[in-house]
């Protein structure tokens, strides 16, 4: 994975509006197979070339939640990072991700509720500059006062 900042924690006291973090990852056949194993989602559109060719996607695609997991990685590792509690996530899938695609996942702070340590993040994933997933996440950020 390639990301723009080291992993760790950004406490609520240091989070600012507009702050963003990202990572990039090539989705591999092995990633798709492991996700199918872990999730038990063995839909052939993800795993069977012959089956997938005859679908609207005209080929195999990664699980949508595998792509969404990259958003979780940015949140849990970079912004806010370690100690973050996920409270909610909305997702809209715009286009498929295929084996071999380089996915760019980014989150950006769009609201801060300091008293409750809540941070709202605009989230998206893209492939070759085209958004494939959009959404928003609400998280509880760690604090130097409590954690």
């Amino acid at each position: 994975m390639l990301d723009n900042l080291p992993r760790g924690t950004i406490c609520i006291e240091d989070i600012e509006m507009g702050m963003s973090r990202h990572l990039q990852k090539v989705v591999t056949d092995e990633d798709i197979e492991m996700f199918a194993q872990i999730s038990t989602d063995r839909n052939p559109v993800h795993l069977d070339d012959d089956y997938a060719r005859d679908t609207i996607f005209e080929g195999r695609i990664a699980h949508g939640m595998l792509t969404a997991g990259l958003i979780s990685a940015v949140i849990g590792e970079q912004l806010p990072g370690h100690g973050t509690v996920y409270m909610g996530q909305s997702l809209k899938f715009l286009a498929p991700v295929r084996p071999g695609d380089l996915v760019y996942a980014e989150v950006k702070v769009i609201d801060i509720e300091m008293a409750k340590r809540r941070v709202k993040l605009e989230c998206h994933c893209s492939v070759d500059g085209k958004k494939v997933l959009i959404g928003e996440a609400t998280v509880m950020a760690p604090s130097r006062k409590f954690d």
Side-chain angles (χ1 to χ4, degrees), residues 3-147:
D3 48 42
N4 63 333
L5 282 176
R7 285 153 168 64
T9 302
I10 302 174
C11 292
I12 188 72
E13 295 86 0
D14 300 320
I15 294 174
E16 300 174 2
M17 291 292 293
M19 187 178 275
S20 68
R21 298 291 184 269
H22 71 267
L23 65 74
Q24 298 180 90
K25 182 186 185 334
V26 173
V27 175
T28 67
D29 288 322
E30 184 180 13
D31 294 330
I32 295 168
E33 182 60 44
M34 286 190 301
F35 191 87
Q37 188 73 22
I38 291 165
S39 68
T40 71
D41 178 355
R42 300 198 58 81
N43 184 328
V45 75
H46 307 302
L47 304 168
D48 183 326
D49 286 316
D50 292 333
Y51 175 90
R53 258 193 302 278
D54 293 332
T55 69
I56 61 169
F57 302 111
E58 300 177 343
R60 286 189 313 113
I61 61 171
H63 301 75
M65 295 310 288
L66 171 58
T67 303
L70 299 177
I71 295 291
S72 179
V74 177
I75 291 170
E77 293 288 337
Q78 296 183 30
L79 180 61
H82 300 173
T84 300
V85 177
Y86 233 120
M87 301 184 76
Q89 175 80 58
S90 68
L91 300 169
K92 183 174 183 180
F93 299 96
L94 305 175
V97 171
R98 300 183 184 281
D101 281 350
L102 174 64
V103 179
Y104 174 88
E106 181 178 57
V107 303
K108 179 181 174 183
V109 176
I110 58 171
D111 191 43
I112 304 167
E113 193 176 342
M114 191 67 71
K116 293 185 177 182
R117 297 170 37 199
R118 293 212 174 122
V119 179
K120 187 179 285 188
L121 302 157
E122 178 182 271
C123 310
H124 79 269
C125 292
S126 58
V127 173
D128 293 329
K130 178 183 176 186
K131 288 186 180 175
V132 296
L133 177 157
I134 58 173
E136 287 186 359
T138 302
V139 302
M140 182 185 300
S143 169
R144 284 191 293 276
K145 294 179 186 176
F146 303 108
D147 296 331

